[in-house]
C-alpha cells in the first residue's frame, strides 16, 4: 500500500518566494504519485507562522486551485521550530509519513525520492544532510560546522550538517508527541526518539527569491537554545571551573602568606584589580548561564501551548487532529 505523504512547509513573510516554489513542490508531489511511491491522498501543508505580508492570502488561493494544497495559520509568530512542530503534529494522524522542508527552495526537493525509498526500506526517520557547504561564506561555514562540533561536545545527539529537512513516519511522530517541553530544538530531539534512521545527502542551492528571515542573531539564538535545551554540560563546566578557580585562589593565599613571612610582600593595586575583575567576570558569566536554565524551567512549568492555530484552509474533523500538543 502506498504511503500518504504530507510535505510540511513553514512560512514567514514569504509572499515573494512562495509563488515560485509552490509549483515546484506540486511537481514533486505529482511525480512521486505518478511513480507509485506515494498515495494520491498526499498533501502539501503550508504553515503560516503569523506572517505580516500576503503569505496567507497566497496559501488560501493555492488551496482553492488544487486540493493537494492545504494550509494552517498560527495565531501569532512563534518561530520556525514551533511552526514545523505545529505542521507535524497536525499531520501525524492523517498521513503515514511527513517531510519537513523550508519554502525558500534551497533544499534539493529531489532528495525526497531517496527519502521515501529509505522509508520503504524500513527507516522511520530519514535526515536530509548537506553534502558540503561550498555555497556558504567562510564565516557561515566555519561557524555552522563549529557549532555542530560544539553540540556533539556538549552531548547533544544532533546529525552533523542536518537542519530541519527530514522524513519522519507517523509512528515516530506519535511517540514524539509525548515530548512535551516548551523549549524545543527539533534537530536534537528527533534522535532521542530512536527508531531506525539513516541520512540522505544533497546539495543546497541559493535562495530562489526574497530575503532570508533568519539573520545571524536568530541563528545564534537557535544555537544557544539547542545547547541549553538538550545539555546540562555547561552547568558541569561551571562547577569544574569554579573548583579550579577556588584551587588557584587557595594556592594564591598560601603563596601570599609565605611571601609575607619572607618579608617580600609588595602591595600591588593593578594585580589586585585584575584579580577582582577576573573573578567578577567569571561569576557574572556563570550566573548568566544558570539564569538561562532557570528561565527555561520557569517557561516549562507554565505549560503554555507551543502553538495555536487560528485559521485553516479547510475544516478538519476533531478526531483527525490532536490540538493539545
Amino acid at each position: 500500500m502506498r504511503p500518504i505523504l504530507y510535505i510540511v512547509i513553514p512560512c514567514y513573510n514569504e509572499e515573494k518566494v512562495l509563488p515560485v516554489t509552490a509549483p515546484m513542490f506540486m511537481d514533486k508531489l505529482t511525480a512521486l504519485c505518478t511513480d507509485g511511491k506515494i498515495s494520491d491522498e498526499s498533501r502539501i501543508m503550508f504553515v503560516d507562522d503569523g506572517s505580516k505580508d500576503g503569505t496567507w492570502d497566497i496559501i488560501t488561493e493555492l488551496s482553492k486551485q488544487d486540493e493537494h494544497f492545504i494550509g494552517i495559520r498560527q495565531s501569532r509568530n512563534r518561530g520556525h521550530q514551533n511552526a514545523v512542530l505545529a505542521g507535524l503534529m497536525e499531520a501525524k494522524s492523517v498521513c503515514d509519513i511527513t517531510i519537513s522542508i523550508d519554502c525558500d527552495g534551497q533544499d534539493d526537493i529531489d532528495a525526497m525520492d531517496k527519502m521515501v525509498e529509505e522509508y520503504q526500506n524500513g527507516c522511520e526517520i530519514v535526515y536530509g544532510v548537506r553534502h558540503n557547504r561550498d555555497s556558504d561564506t567562510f564565516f557561515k561555514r566555519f561557524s555552522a560546522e563549529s557549532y555542530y562540533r560544539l553540540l556533539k561536545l556538549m552531548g547533544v545527539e544532533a546529525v552533523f550538517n542536518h537542519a530541519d529537512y527530514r522524513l519522519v513516519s507517523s509512528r515516530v511522530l506519535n511517540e514524539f508527541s509525548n515530548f512535551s517541553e516548551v523549549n524545543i530544538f527539533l534537530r536534537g530531539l528527533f534522535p532521542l526518539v530512536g527508531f531506525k534512521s539513516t541520512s540522505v545527502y544533497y546539495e543546497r542551492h541559493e535562495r530562489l527569491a526574497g530575503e532570508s528571515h533568519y539573520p545571524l542573531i536568530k541563528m545564534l539564538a537557535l544555537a544557544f537554545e539547542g545547547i541549553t535545551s538538550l545539555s546540562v554540560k555547561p552547568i558541569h563546566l561551571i562547577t569544574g571551573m569554579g573548583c579550579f578557580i577556588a584551587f588557584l585562589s587557595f594556592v594564591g593565599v598560601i603563596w601570599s602568606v609565605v611571601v609575607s613571612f619572607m618579608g617580600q610582600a609588595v602591595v600591588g593595586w593593578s594585580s589586585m584589580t585584575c584579580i577582582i575583575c577576573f573573578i567578577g567576570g567569571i561569576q557574572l558569566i556563570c550566573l548568566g548561564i544558570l539564569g538561562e536554565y532557570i528561565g527555561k524551567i520557569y517557561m516549562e512549568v507554565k505549560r503554555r501551548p507551543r502553538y495555536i492555530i487560528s485559521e485553516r484552509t479547510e475544516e478538519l474533523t476533531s478526531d483527525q487532529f490532536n490540538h493539545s500538543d
Side-chain angles (χ1 to χ4, degrees), residues 245 248 273-283:
I245 292 177
L248 290 182
T273 301
C274 291
I275 292 173
I276 293 174
C277 290
F278 174 72
I279 298 298
I282 292 295
Q283 288 176 332

Side-chain angles (χ1 to χ4, degrees), residues 300-318:
E300 291 291 343
V301 298
K302 285 178 174 291
R303 308 303 302 160
R304 289 173 177 170
R306 295 177 291 182
Y307 64 90
I308 299 174
I309 305 302
S310 61
E311 296 180 66
R312 293 180 172 83
T313 55
E314 61 182 45
E315 290 298 324
L316 302 168
T317 59
S318 59

Side-chain angles (χ1 to χ4, degrees), residues 52-63:
K52 298 178 181 179
D53 60 3
T55 298
W56 179 246
D57 295 331
I58 295 174
I59 294 173
T60 303
E61 186 60 32
L62 287 170
S63 67

